[in-house]
Amino acid sequence: MARVIVVTSGKGGVGKTTTSAAIAMGLAKRGHKTAVIDFDVGLRNLDLIMGCERRVVYDFVNVINEEATLNQALIRDKNCNLLYILPASQTRDKDALSQEGVGRVLDELKKDFKYIVCDSPAGIEKGAHLAMYFADDAFVVTNPEVSSVRDSDRMLGILSSKSRRAEQNEEPINEFLLLTRYSPERVKLGEMLSVDDVQDILSLHLLGVIPESKSVLNASNSGTPVILDEKSDAGQAYADIVARYLGEERPHRFIDDKKGFFRNLFGGK
């Protein structure tokens, strides 16, 4: 049975597209046929992070408007044969998406894919609502700062009340917390919220913590999902998240200030 995953947040710039690319790649690398869809019509970025921007011929809106078939628009990833990308349109606006059209595309994808990852735009406008409407699971991405957490809390209200599952009185969407750009050193200095602070506010199951890392920017610039950088902390953190989502037990990493621990151990400051 196919699962539809929405990667969402209330605030922009928290790492949703980076997360969507990494999660989709991680699922595909573990043997699951996966599609990732860019819902950010007009501000297409997923194709850049996936390194397939020059291969885009048809897009999500073309498929919805029946100007192209799904097979014409899907782009097979260059690093994994089980991963496909459905890019957004750069020339249309958010109103180009319709609930009926999105539902039809997702139903067609479900026939052939195990996981469908929906990369949601920020905010609560139409594209974001449609990205989450059909979801089975939601990855709520937030930074450890007050405005980001507050906006994520608002998204939880929408997930629980305006999804298809809520309207049809079915089991609620499974909600998971992904905390990005986390720095234990800055938490210790009181410059950002701790993991416990965020969980106290949102009361979500913590799927993983992504540390602040230059490797995320490097991966984005090179058009490669950061999860493929297995030597980086961020790449390892995303691999852990995929494993936990698939039911594996893995200890949480990148939460403690290791540098601080070693400084204290050797009498440093």
Side-chain angles (χ1 to χ4, degrees), residues 167-185:
E167 289 180 359
Q168 297 182 357
N169 202 30
E170 298 176 355
E171 287 188 12
I173 294 171
N174 296 314
E175 298 166 344
F176 304 97
L177 173 64
L178 272 70
L179 192 55
T180 56
R181 296 179 179 168
Y182 192 76
S183 168
E185 296 90 343

Side-chain angles (χ1 to χ4, degrees), residues 124-258:
I124 56 173
E125 42 69 41
K126 187 173 183 180
H129 177 254
L130 288 173
M132 69 178 69
Y133 182 76
F134 297 95
D136 301 305
D137 305 313
F139 289 7
V140 180
V141 182
T142 189
N143 292 158
E145 48 101 9
V146 173
S147 64
S148 179
V149 175
R150 181 187 63 187
D151 289 348
S152 292
D153 199 25
R154 187 177 184 190
M155 298 309 293
L156 292 176
I158 296 172
L159 283 166
S160 64
S161 62
K162 294 189 176 182
S163 68
R164 182 173 65 175
R165 285 174 170 264
E167 289 180 359
Q168 297 182 357
N169 202 30
E170 298 176 355
E171 287 188 12
I173 294 171
N174 296 314
E175 298 166 344
F176 304 97
L177 173 64
L178 272 70
L179 192 55
T180 56
R181 296 179 179 168
Y182 192 76
S183 168
E185 296 90 343
R186 293 184 64 192
V187 170
K188 193 173 182 180
L189 293 171
E191 295 177 354
M192 63 172 51
L193 300 175
S194 69
V195 172
D196 289 341
D197 291 334
V198 177
Q199 285 188 288
D200 285 345
I201 297 169
L202 297 179
S203 300
L204 286 182
H205 174 72
L206 180 66
L207 204 56
V209 173
I210 311 299
E212 186 74 66
S213 174
K214 291 181 180 179
S215 62
V216 173
L217 180 60
N218 293 339
S220 296
N221 288 337
S222 66
T224 306
V226 70
I227 196 170
L228 295 178
D229 184 359
E230 297 176 357
K231 294 182 179 179
S232 71
D233 286 354
Q236 293 171 33
Y238 276 117
D240 286 349
I241 285 169
V242 171
R244 292 189 195 102
Y245 174 69
L246 293 175
E248 293 183 23
E249 292 284 341
R250 290 203 181 183
H252 284 282
R253 299 189 280 172
F254 315 114
I255 293 176
D256 300 320
D257 183 1
K258 292 182 179 179

